[in-house]
Amino acid sequence: MKCSLPKTAGCILIALCSILQVQFAFAREGHKTRSSHRPASVIRFIIAAPPGNHPVYLFDKEVRGTVLDSANHPMSGVSVTVKDVANIGTTTDINGKFILNVPNDNAVLVFSMVGYASQEIPVKGKEVINLQLKSSAGSLDDVVVVAYGKQRKRDVIGSVTTITPSELKVPSSNLTTALAGRLAGVIAYQRSGEPGQDNAEFFIRGATTFGYKKDPLILIDGIEYTSTELARLQVDDIAQFSILKDATASAVYGARGANGVILVTTKEGKQGKAKINIRLENSISAPTKDVKLADPVTYMRMANEASITRGVLNVPYDQSKIDNTEAGVNKYMFPATDWKKELFKKSTINQRGNFSVSGGGGVANYFIAGSYTKDNGIMKVDKKNNFNNNIDLKTYNLRSNIGLKVTRTTDVMVRLYGSFDDYTGPITGGSQMYRNVMRSNPVLFPASFPLDAEHFGVHHILFGNAERGFFLNPYADMVRGYKQSTKSLMVAQFELKQDLSFLTQGLNFRAMTNTNRQSAFDVSRAYIPFYYTAPANSYDKVTNTYHLLGINPDGGTDFVDLLSGGGRTVVSTFYLEAAANYNRNFGKHGISAMVISILRSQLEAGASSLQESLPFRNQGLSGRTTYNYDNRYFAEFNFGYNGSERFYKTERFGFFPSVGGAWMVSNEKFFEPAKSIVTKLKLRGNYGMTGNDKIGDKEDRFFYLSEVRIGAPANAASFGTNGAYSRPGVSVSRYENYDITWETATNSTFGLEVGLFNKIEIIAEYFTEKRRNILMDRTLPSTLGLQVTPKANLGQAKSRSFEISVDYSSRFGRDLFVSARGNFTYAKNKFVAYEEPLYDEWYKSRIGHPVKQQWGYIAERLFVDDEEVSNSPTQTFGSRPVAGGDIKFRDVNRDGVINTLDQVPIGYPTSPEIVYGFGASLKYKGFDVSGFFQGSARSSFWIDVEATTPFVSYLYDGEKFGTPGTNPTFPTGTQLQNQLLKAYADNHWSESNRNLYALWPRLDNQLNGNNNQPSTWFMRNGDFLRLKQVELGYSLPTGMAKRIHLESLRVYSNATNLLNFSKFNIWDVEMGGNGLGYPVQKVINFGIQVGL
Amino acid sequence: MKKILLYTIILCGVFSSCKKYLDVVPDNIATIDYAFTLRTSAEKYLFNCFSYMPAHGNFNFNPAMSAGDEVWYMDPPLDVSGAVNFWNIARGQQNASDPWGDFWLGQRQGKNLWIAIRDCNIFLDNIHKVPDMQSYEKERWKAEVLFLKAYYQFYLMRMYGPIPLVKTNMPITSTPEEVKVSRDPVDSGFNYIVQLLDEAAANDNMPDRIIGTEALELGRITKTIVKAFKAKVLVTAASPLFNGNTDYPNFKTVAGVQLFNQTFNKSKWQRAVDACREAVDFCHANGHALFYMGPNSSFVVNDTLRKQLDLRGALNVKEANNNEIIWANTSSMADINMQRWTMPILATLAISGSGPKGILAPPIKMAELFYSKNGVPITEDKTWNFGQRFDLKTATAADKFYVKDGEQTVKLHFDREPRFYASMAFDRGIWLGNWVNNYDYTKALLYPKARRGEFSAKQGVSNWSVTGYWIKKLVSLSTAADKDGALTYENYPWPEIRLSDLYLLYAEALNELNGPGAETYKWINLVRQRAGLQSVEDSWTNFSNEPSKHTNQNGLRQIIHQERMIELAFEGQRYWDLKRWKEAHVVLNGPIAGWNTVATDATSYYKPVVLYSQAFNMRDYFWPIEIQEVLKNRNILQTPGW
């Protein structure tokens, strides 16, 4: 059977129909043979008793009662259900009261509420049931969202971390920034603070793959999304947030779950009257740390020194210019431009608001939520322009989860979600503005000149520039225009649940289909700035006046025009899953089974090659069976049988099983005596495999195919006097390889869960993983003549991690509630196999070193003088001979030459091996206060020498020159000149101050190849500890709120990134080597939350 | 339980019926086999084989232009990002960690020529499969690719010395041990190259010369190209660097095979002479001749200026009646970039963003290289005061076609041979022709003014010559800047081999084989004659303070070498010639000087400023192989000294 999407959907439909038919037939049979007093209906599905039992009489008994908490306050919103009977249930009202019709006297009522231990009470003839619910510090009956389902916390064998959504609340419109340090086993750091670009990078445990996808699978309501969608998610909409870390937990996701899984479910409505929740926030944000630059006079002196000290005769700045600038003679003629001040404000204000309505009746329940956030950048706007070039990111989300009870056994859920970004901002983005400032000359011209008599009538800004106008004026670049972009995500999801208890108790079937479309585009509009210069010969010393000269009177425009080359992306995804679940207890034996099949297809627009244009697909069949005996012994088996379009037929499917077991020691009889102290003791362990197909680069998915471009322009040749007969050539970007296969990870986890005094819960885990078949480049000699290096599944890496989390919560008296928690993750990895040349130097081998280990030279100190250079091992790097004041490297192999063979593993890996967080919160009556610290340790980063070398021109990756109008980063010919960091100006080697351990080596007027080598000189310790968040809040007492017709009211203020402790102080250490970009922000936030 | 089974079966059914769900790839996706199913795609593959030729017409890609001492750049270098890779070699910064201009790995502005060779082999192995092609055309293409295969191997040998000869391709599935090839001795290398060239030349389907179809086919490989190139290969093989070079006695393969022959073998010069003769005769038979400007050109010039046009036009195959170019590389035009970067700014307001930049700066030693007007070196000319060459002199009306009359410049710029004025531009030196249609000697002639503040001097950050010299030779006669600096330009195919090159190779080979003699003099004198000089015999006898220098083999060798460096200056030959002759460690070891370009007056401007002290070590004769590459294949031994 040839398969296509509609047909596949058909397959599922047929499957569904056949189920319904069977059921219908069954119901009809029942009607014929059994009692006839029950109305028969062809469209209504009814609960049928298992064969042999008597028919069930529905709703013949009413039970009422009141639920109180431990302080004897009535509890509203407690869910009351009948055990093992779906669809009968209610919630308590404001006074903690409930009324429920139950089927019969044998029914068992289940009272549950998040954060409280649920209770089961048999009806047994009672008409009134009053009870107290106890709050649960890590309640054993908490439900945890696991792969394709939910499990009671005590049944969980795999490594799953859950977090209460409220703990993820940060005063940021970016949820990812809340992950670091809050979840054991998650490594996260934030490299930029630019609105819209400030996603934290995060990995689960030590990600050891080289593949293009290292971040975990993110599933929101079962559907895969990117971290951007996770970032946009509103914490208020989240019902549950879990992280699955090992094979047992994630095996059923097979290929997709190899790097861990983040599972989020959004809230659903509950029966009851509409509940409205509104939250409004307003925050102020400012950079955590400002990179300090040298003052303009120092800049000029050092620039001259950089030339003179390297023997270059003509210095860039005349002494008279320096003197005049220092004296402040004329700020337009002798400018000292503080570009940062010209471009950026000190702080900015952001707003967020969201609301939700939830509720439900007998047939339907609903949860509808909307949110609006407005993030502003920190750029200034020139009043002369009539447009806004500052970053203004507006995000709108609308979510609607509607559940319908189609029949007594059939539930339908429709989820619709839309997320929309409207962005305006600088044409090349906010980070670019920071980078531009770092590459602008502070003494050549002012940002703009005031209108003088001669130019009185002009409508444009007189932007400053010098000579022929090829210098970067970052102000002109910023205010010349703006970019508008929009991004949208539309999601439609349909879920169907069919209870099949009439076949056999505990069986149900469900199917879900989802389709979503993401699209984004941007347009940019700008004018071409008019540049002016005040030439040196126009300056009249006597009158202190200058004369302005237009540099590009023909080149500029005073009207805004469209820039070509806007980006556009469209991604469409289709997903389908169907599953059967079985879950039943037989006395002390509990068993469950699940089998699920999925299809996923994603198509992306804008492919640049045929192979890229082909859909990304996954197909899988997974299953899980669990068994427990007497809630003491647990066992679980999972498997994923997954297919990926990326591999050759023989390798296309992979089978990834896992097994696990747990022992709840505290449920044993012999443990009874200790139970008052150790309220819980659970040991668990598991072993399993996962597979990863996202290996290599996204561009070369089809490893079994060669990728040949017949007609490659880069390989063209031309003939004829004028080269008129030209033909493109043939290029190969991949050679076929039928053997490329899954990267597989075998992992095992040992966990220990301890509960103490019902107040402390400790979870400790030890995790090991071995990844095999890591795709990597072959080391083939160049003489083979291959256009690209073939790859093979050659690498192997091992990782280990230890995680511990401790939670403490306790109530003191009626009014005081204290909780504290901490977590710690130590993850380490290393290569076990790596194809590399045969080195004579043992330290060159990557084997045994972390995946993110860096190699570099050992910098001993700076050379004393040229004579020492000539008496030392030869260092030939870059374009100039090494001189005194340059970095001296150690000749590790003692062959008299410093070359790559002398590079040794230096520092820690670039991502931290230790991540930890701790915090506490305290609640007294209506007041609450909390604080949370986050830290990381054992990581190294390197100061980007090229980006910080003063006076040289540096182009970041991805930046390009081009003709204006085509939207390049810079117009062709733009001269970039790095600024001088104050730290370097204050502490560098100079001929007069030969500090052999200065921060910066001898100055140079160009990028110094020697000092730019990877070495320990610019290696820095990435450790830090920061006060990630503090919060102070006050909730109005319920009674008082009532009086003003509110359910609840809370006002609060919180702040992020207020304090930071680190050894590195040039910029925010968390930004690592990217310190000159848009700084990480500290935010102070004020909010109000209202429930109606 | 039966029902469970049923649903399980349904679920599995959904799954298994869609096994083909993952077959997303269409059947006829392009693979390498598709390159040889049609003539049009096979043609692309042919062009692909050509595409690896280093783009010598662009200074950013021509290693020889920047790796030696012909041009120098400002420091820090601006707007020459590609050439800097080679310039770093000139500045003694070559290294094995990350070699500059690495043609072995294709990094740092080098091209990976092993890929080129592999692609040539793929072409040779598959071209017979193309169904819709006539066999004569297949044969012609095949002969061209044989040539290219030879060319690429020669290119590598000239750089790296002995190389592994890739006669046939190794399959991609070869074992790691199989791919560990060894270097082959230099003699085997040259023999193999010559064998390929002979095979190409023996193919009757290769045209002798492109005549009549130049508009579409110029630049395709012809027998004249193959034969001229063969002459060059064999002269190289006979030269001291490869013939009895005893600097590398211990350079042997792992198996012990000596890579450099250790004894000089004169018969190699015999082979070279034979090849040169064959090439010259064949070129003549096909109408090649030295270029002289036709009388009917539209230029209004006198004899002095006409000579300039003869010399500048010789490089440009597009000049009417130019039969001098044997191999015009149409895939690598000396385009606007090459010409802008060499041309000075010639008027105050000529600072258009796309106008002349004049960055490529020849050092003073290049100006000293050229002969005096008497056709002998300025160090030897009895009538020319070498000691006073840096003294100032004011030009008179007699000098006015070379130096602006009434202006001051150094004596070095007076009384020089026409090739000096045709090849280089300097402060106050005449630049014939600019603005559009300004080839009229009766009108005011243009000249650069290069002292500080003047229009040809440093204005802004880049766009100036660090030495005060410019390369005039590479600017096409039809390229002109307008008064605002905007260029009207003519591209011309880069002259890879021209007849005067071949004549001088022939003269050199004859001198090495037989010493001085009428036959030897004949070929060098043809070149001198076109340069407006007297014969070697007359010039030396009459003007040199070593009047009999040309009569002994050693003296004549020096003369031929200098003649060659002058005639082919700035054409990317000098660097390779100096190495081939084993003279690089002498010539490339010394100061690089330019004029004091920051000075405003003539007296201080004309003070030589040492820009750099060049050092050339013996190991620099051959380029290092990147360290990892030597470790990946321990059979490839690192070049000695690295």
Side-chain angles (χ1 to χ4, degrees), chain A residues 1-3 5 8 11-12 15 18-19 22 312-314 318 467-468 470-471 500 503-504 507 509 574 578-580 582 595-597 599-601 610-611 614-615 617-621 641 643-645 652-653 702 704-708 710-711 714-730 732 735 778-787 790 837-840 844 857 876-881 898-901 975 1005-1006, chain B residues 3-4 6-8 10-12 14-15 17-26 29-32 34-35 39 41 43-45 47-48 50-52 75-79 84 88 91-97 100 104-105 112 114-115 118-119 164 166 170-172 174 176 179-181 214-220 317-318 330-331 333 345 351-353 452 458-464 491 493 598 609 612 619 626-629 631-634 636:
Chain A
M1 174 181 157
K2 184 90 181 169
C3 192
L5 276 183
T8 312
C11 296
I12 295 275
S18 54
I19 290 168
V22 168
V312 175
L313 297 174
N314 35 358
D318 296 340
E467 292 170 2
R468 288 200 250 161
F470 284 133
F471 289 91
L500 298 175
L503 290 178
T504 179
L507 181 68
F509 171 86
F574 175 82
Y582 177 72
V595 57
I596 185 164
S597 118
L599 292 176
R600 181 174 189 275
S601 176
L610 171 78
Q611 295 193 14
L614 297 170
R617 284 194 175 160
N618 276 110
Q619 183 179 21
L621 179 72
Y641 180 62
S644 165
E645 85 286 12
R652 199 161 278 169
F653 286 87
F702 301 102
Y704 63 94
L705 294 172
S706 57
E707 177 144 31
V708 175
I710 297 174
N715 293 23
S718 308
F719 298 101
T721 321
N722 288 309
Y725 193 80
S726 184
R727 288 290 177 271
V730 177
V732 179
Y735 295 97
R778 300 288 315 276
T779 55
L780 293 171
S782 179
T783 48
L784 201 53
L786 302 180
Q787 291 195 29
L838 193 62
Y839 292 107
D840 292 327
K844 287 290 287 177
Y857 299 104
T876 316
F877 299 109
S879 50
R880 272 217 183 101
I898 307 290
N899 57 27
T900 50
L901 297 179
Q975 300 291 341
N1005 65 342
Q1006 58 178 287
Chain B
K3 306 294 180 195
I4 301 174
L6 176 68
Y7 293 116
T8 313
I10 292 168
L11 277 171
C12 296
V14 170
F15 184 73
S17 66
C18 295
K19 277 241 166 185
K20 288 196 173 161
Y21 186 64
L22 299 176
D23 267 338
V24 293
V25 179
I29 195 162
T31 58
I32 210 76
Y34 280 85
R39 182 188 174 278
S41 37
E43 187 182 34
K44 288 181 184 135
Y45 212 99
F47 280 52
N48 180 54
F50 273 97
S51 72
Y52 298 101
D75 188 14
L78 292 168
D79 302 349
V84 168
N88 285 335
R91 293 189 287 178
Q93 296 295 301
Q94 186 57 288
N95 66 88
S97 285
W100 300 107
W104 195 284
L105 288 185
N112 184 329
W114 300 111
I115 294 175
R118 186 178 183 95
D119 283 1
V166 182
M170 240 176 279
I172 192 168
S174 309
V179 298
K180 290 182 180 167
V181 294
E214 287 93 338
L216 295 178
E217 290 207 299
L218 188 76
R220 295 287 291 269
V317 75
K318 286 170 147 180
T330 52
S331 284
M333 296 279 180
I345 294 167
I351 53 168
S352 151
R452 186 177 188 176
K458 180 180 180 182
Q459 297 184 61
V461 185
S462 58
N463 303 4
W464 54 290
N491 288 348
V598 292
V609 172
Y612 202 84
R619 69 176 188 183
E626 194 262 337
I627 289 172
Q628 298 277 333
E629 197 59 23
L631 294 172
K632 281 180 192 169
N633 176 4
R634 296 246 175 178
I636 291 286

Side-chain angles (χ1 to χ4, degrees), chain B residues 347-359:
Chain B
T348 308
L349 291 168
I351 53 168
S352 151
S354 56
K357 292 177 77 77
I359 291 176

Side-chain angles (χ1 to χ4, degrees), chain A residues 279-461:
Chain A
R279 175 200 294 276
L280 295 169
E281 292 187 340
N282 200 347
S283 55
I284 302 170
S285 72
T288 49
K289 198 161 184 87
D290 226 6
V291 179
K292 289 201 173 57
L293 302 176
D295 66 89
V297 172
T298 309
Y299 178 90
M300 286 189 277
R301 292 208 176 109
M302 299 284 163
N304 285 355
E305 181 186 329
S307 286
I308 294 163
T309 193
R310 296 286 174 175
V312 175
L313 297 174
N314 35 358
V315 296
Y317 304 103
D318 296 340
Q319 190 57 43
S320 67
K321 179 175 170 69
I322 299 177
D323 293 343
N324 283 324
T325 309
E326 192 164 21
V329 170
N330 184 320
K331 68 174 180 169
Y332 296 108
M333 199 58 224
F334 304 103
T337 316
D338 184 343
W339 289 114
K340 265 196 187 170
K341 230 179 185 167
E342 299 285 347
L343 267 71
F344 306 126
K345 300 183 281 191
K346 284 230 166 342
S347 67
T348 184
I349 290 179
N350 304 316
Q351 284 104 20
R352 283 175 296 281
N354 67 38
F355 79 95
S356 66
V357 188
S358 69
V363 181
N365 58 48
Y366 56 90
F367 175 83
I368 294 169
S371 72
Y372 167 75
T373 69
K374 180 171 160 58
D375 283 326
N376 296 307
I378 205 161
M379 285 87 203
K380 286 186 179 169
V381 176
D382 196 298
K383 287 193 184 68
K384 219 170 253 174
N385 286 332
N386 59 358
F387 55 82
N388 181 6
N389 55 262
N390 189 9
I391 295 179
D392 175 6
L393 173 63
K394 294 192 191 79
T395 305
Y396 317 89
N397 285 326
L398 187 64
R399 179 183 302 280
S400 151
N401 293 347
I402 311 272
L404 293 173
K405 203 166 279 300
V406 178
T407 74
R408 297 184 56 85
T409 60
T410 314
D411 284 345
V412 162
M413 181 92 188
V414 174
R415 296 179 200 263
L416 295 170
Y417 173 63
S419 169
F420 310 93
D421 283 5
D422 282 338
Y423 171 95
T424 62
I427 290 166
T428 45
S431 252
Q432 190 66 37
M433 298 301 112
Y434 276 88
R435 289 170 167 183
N436 285 357
V437 163
M438 292 299 164
R439 290 176 291 176
S440 298
N441 189 310
V443 294
L444 287 185
F445 44 84
S448 63
F449 289 101
L451 283 180
D452 56 9
E454 199 180 339
H455 298 92
F456 194 70
V458 303
H459 292 291
H460 54 256
I461 305 169

Side-chain angles (χ1 to χ4, degrees), chain B residues 394-583:
Chain B
T394 304
T396 63
D399 306 308
K400 74 175 198 182
F401 297 115
Y402 289 143
V403 181
K404 176 69 182 169
D405 55 332
E407 293 281 353
Q408 259 192 337
T409 183
V410 276
K411 288 182 176 169
L412 182 68
H413 299 159
F414 291 90
D415 301 321
R416 306 296 300 278
E417 61 161 322
R419 280 183 297 194
F420 170 66
Y421 302 103
S423 302
M424 296 174 74
F426 51 89
D427 174 48
R428 269 66 183 173
I430 294 303
W431 185 285
L432 175 64
N434 221 312
W435 315 158
V436 180
N437 302 326
N438 186 25
Y439 282 91
D440 185 346
Y441 80 107
T442 60
K443 292 184 182 164
L445 293 167
L446 300 162
Y447 57 98
K449 289 171 86 174
R451 296 165 207 164
R452 186 177 188 176
E454 294 180 332
F455 51 74
S456 310
K458 180 180 180 182
Q459 297 184 61
V461 185
S462 58
N463 303 4
W464 54 290
S465 161
V466 71
T467 58
Y469 286 107
W470 294 269
I471 306 171
K472 193 188 277 178
K473 188 181 191 179
L474 299 181
V475 180
S476 158
L477 294 174
S478 305
T479 293
D482 212 334
K483 282 177 187 164
D484 64 0
L487 275 180
T488 307
Y489 66 97
E490 179 197 60
N491 288 348
Y492 62 92
W494 185 252
E496 296 283 350
I497 303 180
R498 57 191 181 102
L499 195 58
S500 62
D501 179 1
L502 188 57
Y503 284 170
L504 291 169
L505 288 175
Y506 195 11
E508 180 184 341
L510 284 168
N511 183 49
E512 296 299 337
L513 187 67
N514 305 325
E519 177 72 358
T520 314
Y521 294 140
K522 176 181 168 188
W523 303 106
I524 181 173
N525 284 340
L526 280 171
V527 174
R528 290 173 67 87
Q529 187 186 338
R530 197 265 304 275
L533 298 176
Q534 292 175 13
S535 69
V536 166
E537 305 93 298
D538 290 349
S539 294
W540 256 264
T541 311
N542 296 329
F543 297 103
S544 172
N545 51 24
E546 291 181 64
S548 63
K549 189 174 179 182
H550 61 284
T551 58
N552 65 71
Q553 189 189 35
N554 199 30
L556 186 58
R557 178 183 296 135
Q558 285 178 33
I559 292 169
I560 292 170
H561 286 186
Q562 187 163 359
E563 190 73 46
R564 196 173 158 79
M565 288 192 283
I566 292 169
E567 176 68 19
L568 301 173
F570 311 120
E571 293 181 50
Q573 303 278 358
R574 174 183 166 95
Y575 178 73
W576 300 119
D577 283 334
L578 288 173
K579 285 187 155 190
R580 177 167 70 81
W581 295 326
K582 286 187 78 178
E583 290 173 11

Side-chain angles (χ1 to χ4, degrees), chain A residues 463-482:
Chain A
F463 290 112
N465 214 310
E467 292 170 2
R468 288 200 250 161
F470 284 133
F471 289 91
L472 175 63
N473 178 333
Y475 186 72
D477 189 63
M478 182 173 86
V479 304
R480 78 192 153 101
Y482 61 106

